[in-house]
Amino acid sequence: MQVKNRLTPFFENITFDREDNEMILNFGPQHPSAHGQLRLMLHLQQEMIVKAHPDIGYLHRGMEKMAENMIYNEFMPTTDRMDYIASSSNNYGFALAVEKLIGLEVPRRAKVIRMMLLEINRLMSHLFWLATTALDIGAMTVFLFAFREREYLMDIIEGYCGARLTHAAIRIGGVPLDIQDTFIAQLKTFLDKLPQNIKDYEDLLDTNRIWLMRMEEVGVISKEMALSWGCTGPMLRASGVAWDIRKEEPYELYDEVEFKVPYSDKGDNFARYRIYMEEMRESAKILYQTIDMYEECVKSNQTELMAHAPKYVSAPKLDIMTQNYSLMQHFVLVTQGMRPPVGEVYVATESPKGELGFYINSQGGPYPYRLKLRAPSFWHTGILTDLLPGHYIPDVVSIIGTTNIVFGEVDR
Amino acid sequence: MRAYKPKDNVQAKAYYTDRYYVSPQVPKLHVESDEIFAADLEAIKAKVDVLDAYIQVEQMVVFINPSDNYKVLELLRDECDYTQLSEMSAIDWLADRGGFEIFYQMLSMNKRKRIRIKMFINKGEAVNSVEKLFRSADWSEREMFDMFGIEANGHPFMKRILMPYDWQGYPLLKTYPLQGDEFAAWYEVDKIYGKEARDIIGPELRDTAKVDRYDSERFARLGHEVPKGTKITGNEPKNEQNYQEEGGVFMIKKFDKKDSVVVDDPQR
């Protein structure tokens, strides 16, 4: 028998018999299609939603607070836990923000490796999105296919940094390691197969009647609404704004590679799905180009992986082991932490989900005075308030799917 | 003169700073150095008072009076083409200056420019909500209220967003400890078992790194294991730990500490 205590629920999941004949459905926080801990309070008239109230905070770990109590390098692995589907992109966003604050120039070889990691992460995230959304809608085959491909990418990443999900693969000032010997060969094998794989998914979905019924004309976000709600990334591009930070405010070497920014003016679930598919193709294109760039770096013998800035970045391992001054500097940087200049910076990068921004206010100490994480999924969850009314219960699942929210970064 | 350290700031602090260390500054540029920003600043200056303005790390920072925030954001959206409010939040300056700094991070997609509007409010003051201009401020302002306790006038639903509705205290204040305060330690105990069970259960252990050597309920000491719940006096016997299987493994002879001899003769 259950011991009576306050764990006994206060309310049932459904409330009937209200005066206005409205039903209140409590969707989540443990719903498999909520992609994490999303609680949605839905007011229903028959099966139509008249009011939606997303409730978040179930995964709140206080990362901004933690950041104020950590030295800059210490915070890097914590950023992994934001968007844990593509964690290198978070590492990168933070590293770039600190580098801009300090004014560091990263060596070219490190930039190329970073771009490779970022695009692999984008592919991983988009494949994961496709798999889970297709599964929510009932397309089990696509789920298995997409997870298989994602597995290859995770193997490559695992070979690079030893982790499959929480990579911590990027450091402030560069990357810690060169890519392993098999990296390029593995990546090329994967990329050569990818177009056929994407075509397989499309063959299964593009003309699938069920998929089209669940996707077309469902969850339409107008351009004004997307802008007003702070939507970014695929959510914004599906609503008719061709805004990609990689293109418009290029960081790393994105101004040297050729790629297109797919966008659509439909704004519905299907448009978002098409954009994810096209972006995978563009990512593959970028990856091919970065492989060439990497080989050029090898040929021209550019071996530097970390920026040279003794005040902020530890010297290479060889120097630390052989030179006393480098060892002392390293010791101070590890125990006390680097002290960036006084000032503030807001740096936005294009993560797979949208604009990932880091606002850092530094007062010259080894701990940031204030760090604000601008996670795209936060607003992509908020928009559900305005988006869901007028839709029916099954649409909720497909709309949450295409918003591609990850609760690690909604709640931070 | 000794450096001023606010006493009510309980965040981690540098344990050593060189007395002659002077922090460098992130360079600030004049707004005139960028044509687009200069034009935007003129437009803002025509409407409201601007306290300070400069360009830092490719973005313009404009300081305004807190009462003008709605006007300025409306102007930026409708006339200067800053169509998106990417981010807004506050910075706690209670100890140094007795208030909060609030920033609005704006983005213009056509101009490819970003502006940060900043303003200072005193403790206990509220800000004007900009939720009518940008829907994204709906959740940002709630988050700001949740984390700092700054209310936004005219917001339709000023409730906590990340923390539970019945939480007390504002986590991002510098006076709020990282592990949470007294209220936080009892919150879940009260919620699940009731206040009357406080004596039986005790406060929640919120320091994740804390290890109690005398607590045999939750911790075990390697090499000194005792049955769960035993009262530890400090004289418990040492348990020998053997990590190798009996009989050894392939190529490796079993190492037995009892049979081994410690050679301490340096002349051997």
Side-chain angles (χ1 to χ4, degrees):
Chain A
M1 204 186 85
Q2 189 192 355
V3 182
K4 265 275 177 200
N5 60 27
R6 298 202 186 171
L7 281 177
T8 321
F10 292 116
F11 49 81
E12 293 297 322
N13 257 357
I14 299 170
T15 317
F16 291 103
D17 299 331
R18 281 165 48 109
E19 288 161 23
D20 46 6
N21 203 25
E22 228 176 47
M23 183 167 96
I24 298 176
L25 180 71
N26 190 24
F27 182 101
Q30 302 289 357
H31 193 278
S33 81
H35 292 214
Q37 312 295 71
L38 169 66
R39 181 178 171 211
L40 270 174
M41 261 108 63
L42 302 172
H43 294 234
L44 302 173
Q45 292 275 9
Q46 309 301 332
E47 276 217 13
M48 198 174 78
I49 294 149
V50 289
K51 198 177 158 210
H53 178 74
D55 185 14
I56 59 169
Y58 291 89
L59 202 58
H60 180 227
R61 292 148 293 178
M63 282 193 184
E64 288 162 18
K65 185 77 174 174
M66 286 160 75
E68 287 175 17
N69 290 280
M70 282 182 181
I71 63 173
Y72 286 82
N73 280 317
E74 219 178 340
F75 187 60
M76 186 59 80
T78 315
T79 57
D80 282 340
R81 276 80 182 164
M82 284 174 67
D83 176 4
Y84 41 78
I85 305 300
S87 46
S88 295
S89 52
N90 308 314
N91 299 157
Y92 177 71
F94 179 61
L96 185 70
V98 180
E99 282 156 15
K100 284 245 172 116
L101 187 67
I102 301 170
L104 276 187
E105 182 55 33
V106 176
R108 188 178 166 88
R109 187 159 176 160
K111 282 186 178 175
V112 176
I113 295 173
R114 282 174 167 202
M115 269 175 69
M116 285 178 168
L117 292 175
L118 288 179
E119 291 310 314
I120 289 177
N121 270 276
R122 195 178 307 279
L123 278 175
M124 271 167 67
S125 167
H126 283 8
L127 284 169
F128 183 87
W129 169 83
L130 180 70
T132 49
T133 309
L135 184 67
D136 286 347
I137 290 177
M140 187 82 177
T141 321
V142 179
F143 167 76
L144 293 171
F145 279 10
F147 258 56
R148 182 188 59 192
E149 267 74 70
R150 182 165 168 269
E151 202 64 20
Y152 294 135
L153 287 171
M154 296 222 291
D155 285 346
I156 298 176
I157 287 272
E158 191 183 7
Y160 176 68
C161 66
R164 295 163 74 79
L165 279 178
T166 49
H167 308 146
I170 290 168
R171 298 282 181 280
I172 297 164
V175 287
L177 293 166
D178 198 5
I179 54 177
Q180 73 268 27
D181 299 340
T182 53
F183 189 96
I184 300 244
Q186 275 177 300
L187 187 60
K188 267 190 178 157
T189 320
F190 173 82
L191 289 177
D192 291 343
K193 280 188 200 152
L194 187 68
Q196 184 57 44
N197 290 330
I198 296 176
K199 199 173 166 294
D200 284 349
Y201 313 142
E202 287 178 345
D203 287 347
L204 282 168
L205 295 175
D206 267 3
T207 49
N208 184 327
R209 265 191 304 157
I210 302 171
W211 184 259
L212 290 175
M213 275 162 66
R214 301 290 296 273
M215 288 293 190
E216 275 185 327
E217 307 291 320
V218 173
V220 181
I221 303 176
S222 69
K223 190 176 167 182
E224 291 71 32
M225 189 175 164
L227 286 172
S228 172
W229 260 108
C231 286
T232 44
M235 288 279 277
L236 186 62
R237 291 195 279 278
S239 298
V241 185
W243 173 260
D244 188 320
I245 299 173
R246 290 176 296 169
K247 201 85 173 173
E248 310 295 333
E249 299 172 336
Y251 47 90
E252 295 304 305
L253 305 169
Y254 278 112
D255 45 353
E256 289 181 27
V257 293
E258 264 181 46
F259 66 101
K260 286 189 211 117
V261 179
Y263 73 101
S264 159
D265 52 6
K266 284 271 174 20
D268 59 353
N269 281 349
F270 195 72
R272 266 164 256 152
Y273 153 72
R274 288 304 314 160
I275 281 171
Y276 283 113
M277 301 307 268
E278 292 304 324
E279 274 192 11
M280 279 200 257
R281 293 203 168 93
E282 298 303 319
S283 279
K285 247 194 241 169
I286 297 175
L287 276 171
Y288 273 122
Q289 295 172 55
T290 52
I291 291 174
D292 296 340
M293 287 157 106
Y294 180 78
E295 273 157 6
E296 270 166 38
C297 285
V298 175
K299 257 185 221 154
S300 57
N301 206 20
Q302 296 173 344
T303 48
E304 288 245 299
L305 290 176
M306 290 289 274
H308 180 71
K311 267 172 82 180
Y312 305 111
V313 179
S314 293
K317 187 104 179 181
L318 185 69
D319 287 3
I320 294 177
M321 295 307 220
T322 52
Q323 294 175 23
N324 193 16
Y325 197 74
S326 295
L327 179 65
M328 283 156 63
Q329 209 112 43
H330 177 65
F331 180 75
V332 170
L333 284 176
V334 169
T335 54
Q336 295 182 17
M338 68 158 97
R339 290 163 202 254
V342 179
E344 50 179 18
V345 68
Y346 175 83
V347 176
T349 55
E350 184 78 22
S351 93
K353 313 274 185 300
E355 176 182 323
L356 178 70
F358 283 80
Y359 169 84
I360 301 177
N361 187 319
S362 158
Q363 292 301 313
Y367 306 96
Y369 190 77
R370 171 89 170 100
L371 188 139
K372 181 81 182 81
L373 308 165
R374 191 251 186 239
S377 296
F378 184 73
W379 283 277
H380 296 171
T381 315
I383 200 172
L384 294 176
T385 323
D386 291 354
L387 186 57
L388 289 181
H391 287 91
Y392 294 88
I393 291 183
D395 298 337
V396 176
V397 175
S398 61
I399 289 173
I400 293 176
T402 51
T403 52
N404 197 7
I405 46 184
V406 165
F407 274 78
E409 80 178 356
V410 175
D411 295 340
R412 289 154 298 172
Chain B
M1 209 173 77
R2 205 181 300 146
Y4 170 69
K5 280 194 189 124
K7 288 191 182 54
D8 46 358
N9 181 348
V10 293
Q11 305 311 304
K13 284 181 213 73
Y15 68 90
Y16 173 75
T17 306
D18 189 281
R19 1 185 352 191
Y20 302 110
Y21 178 75
V22 180
S23 301
Q25 303 277 329
V26 179
K28 292 175 183 171
L29 307 175
H30 285 293
V31 177
E32 287 75 44
S33 60
D34 188 300
E35 276 176 32
I36 300 172
F37 281 149
D40 291 336
L41 187 62
E42 282 310 309
I44 299 172
K45 270 185 178 165
K47 274 261 172 84
V48 299
D49 289 342
V50 171
L51 307 178
D52 191 10
Y54 52 83
I55 297 177
Q56 198 171 37
V57 200
E58 299 147 36
Q59 293 173 16
M60 180 162 76
V61 185
V62 181
F63 288 80
I64 56 163
N65 289 315
S67 52
D68 296 332
N69 67 341
Y70 189 91
K71 247 190 265 173
V72 172
L73 261 62
E74 191 176 27
L75 171 88
L76 284 175
R77 185 190 72 171
D78 296 341
E79 288 166 39
C80 302
D81 206 15
Y82 286 81
T83 44
Q84 214 171 33
L85 175 66
S86 316
E87 176 64 288
M88 61 155 293
S89 195
I91 305 163
D92 175 1
W93 289 108
L94 285 172
D96 296 322
R97 289 151 65 188
F100 299 95
E101 209 164 41
I102 293 174
F103 66 90
Y104 296 91
Q105 185 71 43
M106 311 285 298
L107 164 67
S108 166
M109 289 173 178
N110 292 336
K111 296 179 184 171
R112 297 181 190 175
K113 290 281 181 197
R114 289 172 195 271
I115 286 188
R116 192 176 317 122
I117 304 292
K118 294 188 81 175
M119 58 194 206
F120 186 83
I121 62 162
N122 291 318
K123 191 185 174 184
E125 282 179 6
V127 295
N128 300 323
S129 170
V130 293
E131 186 266 334
K132 296 229 162 41
L133 296 170
F134 298 98
R135 286 288 282 136
S136 61
D138 183 346
W139 276 30
S140 309
E141 279 169 356
R142 275 178 71 188
E143 194 190 336
M144 186 169 77
F145 167 69
D146 194 357
M147 294 294 147
F148 294 94
I150 303 167
E151 294 199 28
N153 290 333
H155 190 282
F157 191 69
M158 199 82 254
K159 283 258 176 87
R160 286 185 180 272
I161 187 165
L162 292 173
M163 304 301 287
Y165 285 164
D166 52 352
W167 193 262
Q168 285 172 24
Y170 298 103
L172 272 181
L173 295 182
K174 295 281 174 192
T175 47
Y176 195 90
L178 180 67
Q179 265 89 28
D181 56 5
E182 177 79 14
F183 172 83
W186 291 111
Y187 179 77
E188 288 202 343
V189 176
D190 288 359
K191 197 103 186 159
I192 297 172
Y193 302 100
K195 266 203 168 100
E196 58 277 10
R198 274 192 180 193
D199 290 341
I200 306 165
I201 291 158
E204 191 188 329
L205 187 62
R206 290 180 69 88
D207 183 354
T208 46
K210 187 170 168 144
V211 175
D212 186 354
R213 181 186 171 319
Y214 294 98
D215 183 356
S216 64
E217 291 277 351
R218 283 176 284 194
F219 303 103
R221 256 183 102 206
L222 267 187
H224 296 274
E225 289 90 350
V226 288
K228 192 181 174 200
T230 314
K231 277 219 161 160
I232 294 178
T233 53
N235 303 325
E236 51 288 340
K238 197 165 165 39
N239 298 334
E240 277 300 325
Q241 301 273 327
N242 281 319
Y243 294 105
Q244 232 177 41
E245 295 102 64
E246 280 302 321
V249 286
F250 178 63
M251 296 284 281
I252 301 168
K253 209 183 133 197
K254 180 158 170 60
F255 173 72
D256 195 344
K257 259 191 185 171
K258 279 174 214 148
D259 296 346
S260 58
V261 184
V262 180
V263 182
D264 50 2
D265 180 10
Q267 300 299 318
R268 192 181 70 95

